[in-house]
Amino acid sequence: MDISGLTGDLFAALAPAATLPAPATPPAATPVPVRPAPARVAVTRVQAQPRQLWVALSLPLLALSPDTPQDVPVVVVEDERGRPTVVACNALAARQGVSAGLGLETALALAPELGVQRRTPSLEARRLEEVARLAMSFTPLVCVEPPDGLLLEVRGSRQLFGGLTALLGRLRTELARRQCTARLGVAPTPRAAAWFARAGDERPVESAAQLGGRLNALPLAVTRWPAVTQEALARLGLRRLGDLVRLPRAGVARRYTTAVLAELDEAYGRLPAVRRHYRAPERFTTALDLEAEVGNQALLEPVLHRLLDDLGRFLEVRAAGIHACSVRFTHRGRAPTVLTLRRSELAGGGGDWHRLLYEHLARLKLPAAVTALSLRSGVLVPLPATSSLLPGLADPAGTGAEAEWLIDRLKARLGEAAVTGLCLVEEHRPEGATRCIPPTLAGRAAEGRDRLPAARRPLWLLAEPRPLTVRGGRPWLDGGLVLESGPERIESGWWDGSEVARDYYVARLAGQARLWLYRELGDGGVRWFWHGVYA
Amino acid sequence: MTAKLDAWLADSPLGASTWRARSLAATSEPTVPSGWARLDAHLPGGGWPLGTLTELLLPRHGVGELSLLVPALRRLALADDDAARWLTFIGAPHDLHAPALVQAGLPLARMLLVRVAGQRERLWAAEQALGSRSCAAVLVWLDEVDDRALRRLKLAAVEGQGLGILLRPLRVRAQSSPATLRLLLEPTAEGLAIEILKRRGGGGERLGGVLSGS
């Protein structure tokens, strides 16, 4: 049935007299708000355009903590009209006949060994938030629908995953990995998607043309309208949404609440949907409690890669990159170990983070078993226009990127200090003339050439000048050293307390290397030192 | 200095003609001139081979191995001005002295120094650098390593297509090596002597007095 079939004349059954004219129903392609949005604070308007595609997640077991035992029947209860009522149960309880909505006494009658948990809304909200963050790695537009729903607008991002089917597959996989039971509904309007999800009808509705017909078949219970409304509708013999939309609008509006009509219109795409966006955090954070303490690092690797996968998708859909992220390993009864992955350049969600992690893990020594893991990114920065929106195609093949990548890997495994570049310092003392700096390929080719010493310097300088013995008045190192040239007087450093006064010579060790020596000009006689090698 | 050396080499009794004929036909693989004309004449393709390994065996550090390589390093660094690549030193026994590098005409900004202690880390770093197209040259100081590790490095060098130089102690001479070119450096009173232990299409020549000028 087409949406256009949802017209006022079908509401005649409840209309007192003649059929009321239907509200000006614009074609679905150009919806126009027919009434002000329901008063809610701080909302972002999301037009229910047919150009959107929503995936709704219904999380029926959200009230059930993930570490709920599987081998005993467990229910979560909440007081409803003064009576403890089941809101969720585990699979074993369900097999014994327990279901949501039952009173606790009935449930206990069905399953005498029932474990009972009281509902904790704050915990539930946190779990929902966690799933929302996962959802953020599939699209930037996520709405949280408490207590147990999420909405993802995926029209823009589905191509990233190779189409809707692939995206849903990935989403299901990720949810399953988190032991998160979810039903997925797909529709052009958010409310319809949510209703399909609640109904457990997972066949996607991608076009507006199919929407009305598919919605009509849903039971009214998916709307979660107040019990009084539901009961009244049931008394009229109305079971499905289709039954209701055939009624005259005015009658429905009068008899029930305007919210009923508004929600119907929203679901059928006749009214813009109003949703509060889940605010994209400017960092990516995710945490994972391990089921058991893990001491073997190799077992942590796949888990870490999974967290990085989430991070990668999160960055990809935002066309953003980060410079660093850190992994936190929680141990029992001691301070956590934090591993920071750092890149020289802004890096998006490509595979490079995995390789970098791998290098780090090779060096990492965890002091104790790990009970939980978390991953937190640095601040997100938009990637430049040639972004990684098409992962794999936008591979940074340039030498520049490869150069940075090499540095990142080397540093990751060997440490920052082990990987350096060099620069020249204007300093007379040879030992102060070289400074290690972070490696950079930035061209400074002719640097300092005009301030170079006239005499040739050795390519290698010893870390510490090595004292030489003197035999027969000649400096000695495995043999007599023959002075070839010199002296070059170097005097400096009096201003910072490391005064030197040296005469440098180039010397040859018989038939071997040429060395750079100096004779110290001090009060305590002549002392010779070996300082460099003309390698 | 090079001109002076070339002049010296030209009238050396060790004429290059015999070897030149063989070497000119020897290879189509990319090379970079060593900058020492007489050595180049003995090297297939007229220079250090790229995209593979060259092994320099040293009786001790500092016999002139760096000076021998400097002209090629300079050439490599100046050749790729628009796509700058690293000149990578892995596990060098001493610290490089920046003023000397500048005097030698090497751009400091291209220098990448990797300090590694253990042999395992050294091999790992070498493999990374040799395999990266961002390295114009990789110099690795290596002790005794097994043949398989060297083969891995050679595979990496094929990938990276840079100049791959292994600097190793003389005592590994008897061990087999997958290096394409293997030279033994010997300081003599007349300067650095080079014995070509292995090269494509032969080996066994000895060049006296390379690097004798200063």
Side-chain angles (χ1 to χ4, degrees):
Chain A
M1 176 182 159
D2 194 74
I3 297 180
S4 56
L6 181 71
T7 48
D9 52 341
L10 293 172
F11 284 70
L14 285 184
T19 299
L20 282 158
T25 308
T30 52
V32 177
V34 294
R35 70 180 74 221
R40 283 199 228 170
V41 283
V43 289
T44 311
R45 183 162 284 240
V46 180
Q47 294 288 323
Q49 295 158 347
R51 297 189 63 77
Q52 293 189 331
L53 187 62
W54 292 85
V55 174
L57 266 60
S58 172
L59 307 157
L61 299 184
L62 204 62
L64 214 59
S65 134
D67 47 25
T68 303
Q70 299 296 315
D71 48 355
V72 251
V74 176
V75 290
V76 179
V77 297
E78 181 183 45
D79 282 345
E80 207 168 275
R81 299 182 199 176
R83 265 181 63 215
T85 307
V86 174
V87 290
C89 64
N90 69 356
L92 190 54
R95 274 205 296 282
Q96 298 181 6
V98 178
S99 64
L102 288 183
L104 180 58
E105 288 134 63
T106 320
L108 279 169
L110 287 166
E113 291 167 41
L114 203 60
V116 181
Q117 298 174 352
R118 188 154 287 278
R119 187 174 197 174
T120 324
S122 61
L123 268 181
E124 240 166 278
R126 238 174 60 198
R127 280 179 216 134
L128 188 59
E129 171 95 13
E130 276 165 28
V131 186
R133 276 201 297 267
L134 164 67
M136 291 296 283
S137 66
F138 287 83
T139 166
L141 208 171
V142 172
C143 305
V144 179
E145 302 274 288
D148 60 356
L150 281 180
L151 289 164
L152 292 70
E153 205 287 312
V154 298
R155 193 188 149 78
S157 62
R158 63 184 161 176
Q159 284 93 333
L160 277 175
F161 296 84
L164 178 68
T165 314
L167 181 144
L168 293 175
R170 286 274 281 282
L171 186 55
R172 284 197 176 94
T173 311
E174 294 303 324
L175 289 165
R177 275 177 171 174
R178 289 164 176 73
Q179 274 108 44
C180 184
T181 306
R183 297 199 200 102
L184 273 51
V186 181
T189 70
R191 192 170 298 279
W195 286 354
F196 284 125
R198 282 180 201 161
D201 183 350
E202 299 204 325
R203 293 166 300 152
V205 181
E206 288 190 69
S207 78
Q210 301 169 345
L211 180 63
R214 290 280 304 280
L215 273 174
N216 284 349
L218 291 183
L220 284 170
V222 299
T223 61
R224 291 193 185 160
W225 287 331
V228 257
T229 308
Q230 302 256 18
E231 283 157 16
L233 292 169
R235 276 197 301 276
L236 285 171
L238 306 176
R239 296 276 176 270
R240 303 189 174 272
L241 286 174
D243 301 336
L244 181 60
V245 296
R246 288 188 197 97
L247 302 183
R249 298 177 61 85
V252 173
R254 200 178 53 245
R255 279 171 163 265
Y256 309 108
T257 61
T258 49
V260 166
L261 262 189
E263 289 192 7
L264 275 177
D265 285 344
E266 224 185 73
Y268 282 82
R270 302 166 62 195
L271 198 64
V274 178
R275 290 284 181 284
R276 184 203 301 263
H277 279 208
Y278 178 66
R279 280 287 292 276
E282 45 180 0
R283 293 168 186 273
F284 174 85
T285 53
T286 185
L288 200 65
D289 287 327
L290 300 173
E291 283 163 24
E293 286 191 30
V294 177
N296 183 348
Q297 222 164 294
L299 296 178
L300 289 174
E301 251 175 65
V303 184
L304 284 167
H305 283 299
R306 210 164 85 205
L307 297 184
L308 280 182
D309 282 342
D310 290 349
L311 169 67
R313 276 194 304 277
F314 184 87
L315 294 176
E316 263 171 38
V317 293
R318 277 162 198 77
I322 52 175
H323 283 101
C325 61
S326 61
V327 184
R328 193 185 173 92
F329 301 86
T330 309
H331 311 292
R332 195 178 301 283
R334 64 189 301 164
T337 307
V338 178
L339 173 66
T340 301
L341 311 179
R342 213 179 292 282
R343 305 290 310 270
S344 315
E345 281 193 339
L346 192 64
D352 284 357
W353 290 105
H354 291 269
R355 287 201 276 167
L356 193 58
L357 173 72
Y358 181 76
E359 306 300 355
H360 273 285
L361 285 179
R363 284 198 314 151
L364 184 71
K365 285 187 180 57
L366 289 169
V370 178
T371 59
L373 286 170
S374 67
L375 174 66
R376 179 179 160 86
S377 80
V379 176
L380 262 65
V381 182
L383 284 175
T386 53
S387 73
S388 64
L389 258 179
L390 293 172
L393 292 181
D395 177 47
T399 326
E402 204 174 331
E404 299 294 343
W405 170 235
L406 174 66
I407 302 306
D408 289 340
R409 263 178 308 163
L410 292 172
K411 280 184 178 171
R413 173 137 163 191
L414 307 172
E416 295 264 333
V419 184
T420 64
L422 284 183
C423 78
L424 192 62
V425 180
E426 210 171 332
E427 156 74 64
H428 288 290
R429 281 169 300 183
E431 54 269 47
T434 307
R435 184 171 298 160
C436 289
I437 53 166
T440 163
L441 278 172
R444 291 163 304 167
E447 115 199 273
R449 206 167 284 186
D450 46 339
R451 295 189 302 271
L452 282 179
R456 259 192 78 212
R457 290 290 162 88
L459 283 162
W460 273 334
L461 205 66
L462 304 193
E464 289 284 334
R466 213 168 291 175
L468 295 172
T469 50
V470 179
R471 292 191 192 179
R474 272 166 56 185
W476 187 272
L477 179 80
D478 310 329
L481 286 156
V482 181
L483 303 184
E484 287 192 339
S485 63
E488 180 196 0
R489 173 67 55 91
I490 293 180
E491 275 179 308
S492 71
W494 53 267
W495 53 87
D496 61 6
S498 24
E499 191 173 347
V500 298
R502 304 168 181 166
D503 276 339
Y504 275 90
Y505 294 87
V506 180
R508 179 175 292 281
L509 188 59
Q512 293 182 21
R514 282 193 306 140
L515 309 177
W516 203 36
L517 316 179
Y518 68 82
R519 198 174 53 158
E520 198 166 65
L521 311 170
D523 311 326
V526 177
R527 289 164 68 205
W528 286 91
F529 292 87
W530 171 26
H531 204 183
V533 186
Y534 289 89
Chain B
M1 169 184 145
T2 309
K4 186 177 159 194
L5 180 81
D6 286 352
W8 188 90
L9 288 169
D11 47 34
S12 153
L14 265 169
S17 53
T18 2
W19 312 117
R20 190 185 294 276
R22 216 197 285 174
S23 67
L24 284 177
T27 181
S28 59
E29 286 185 350
T31 57
V32 58
S34 75
W36 309 101
R38 198 154 128 265
L39 176 61
D40 283 346
H42 286 75
L43 298 178
W48 303 116
L50 300 178
T52 183
L53 297 178
T54 293
E55 207 170 31
L56 304 183
L57 303 184
L58 317 169
R60 66 185 61 79
H61 295 306
V63 295
E65 61 273 34
L66 291 187
S67 305
L68 178 69
L69 294 169
V70 156
L73 297 182
R74 190 169 49 216
R75 204 176 287 251
L76 286 168
L78 300 181
D80 52 27
D81 223 23
D82 37 344
R85 292 185 296 160
W86 301 112
L87 303 176
T88 309
F89 286 59
I90 298 172
H94 300 292
D95 293 333
L96 285 165
H97 190 40
L101 292 171
V102 178
Q103 283 176 334
L106 295 178
L108 292 183
R110 303 287 176 81
M111 302 299 297
L112 175 58
L113 311 183
V114 184
R115 288 173 196 78
V116 275
Q119 191 87 334
R120 219 178 110 220
E121 301 287 80
R122 206 175 279 244
L123 284 169
W124 175 83
E127 193 176 341
Q128 305 305 309
L130 285 166
S132 171
R133 294 227 165 213
S134 68
C135 291
V138 182
L139 278 61
V140 194
W141 279 261
L142 275 183
D143 209 325
E144 294 182 41
V145 282
D146 64 37
D147 192 51
R148 220 181 47 201
L150 290 179
R151 277 178 204 287
R152 283 184 65 128
L153 294 188
K154 188 173 176 183
L155 284 178
V158 172
E159 189 72 27
Q161 281 299 308
L163 170 64
I165 303 281
L166 306 183
L167 298 117
R168 308 188 65 200
L170 189 53
R171 65 169 180 280
V172 303
R173 177 179 180 169
Q175 295 173 13
S176 77
S177 162
T180 303
L181 180 65
R182 217 172 181 216
L183 307 182
L184 191 156
L185 310 192
E186 236 181 301
T188 65
E190 291 75 42
L192 189 68
I194 297 177
E195 189 175 342
I196 300 176
L197 299 178
K198 176 187 174 187
R199 60 163 198 185
R200 253 185 243 291
E205 315 80 297
R206 186 171 189 280
L207 301 164
V210 181
L211 261 190
S212 68
S214 63

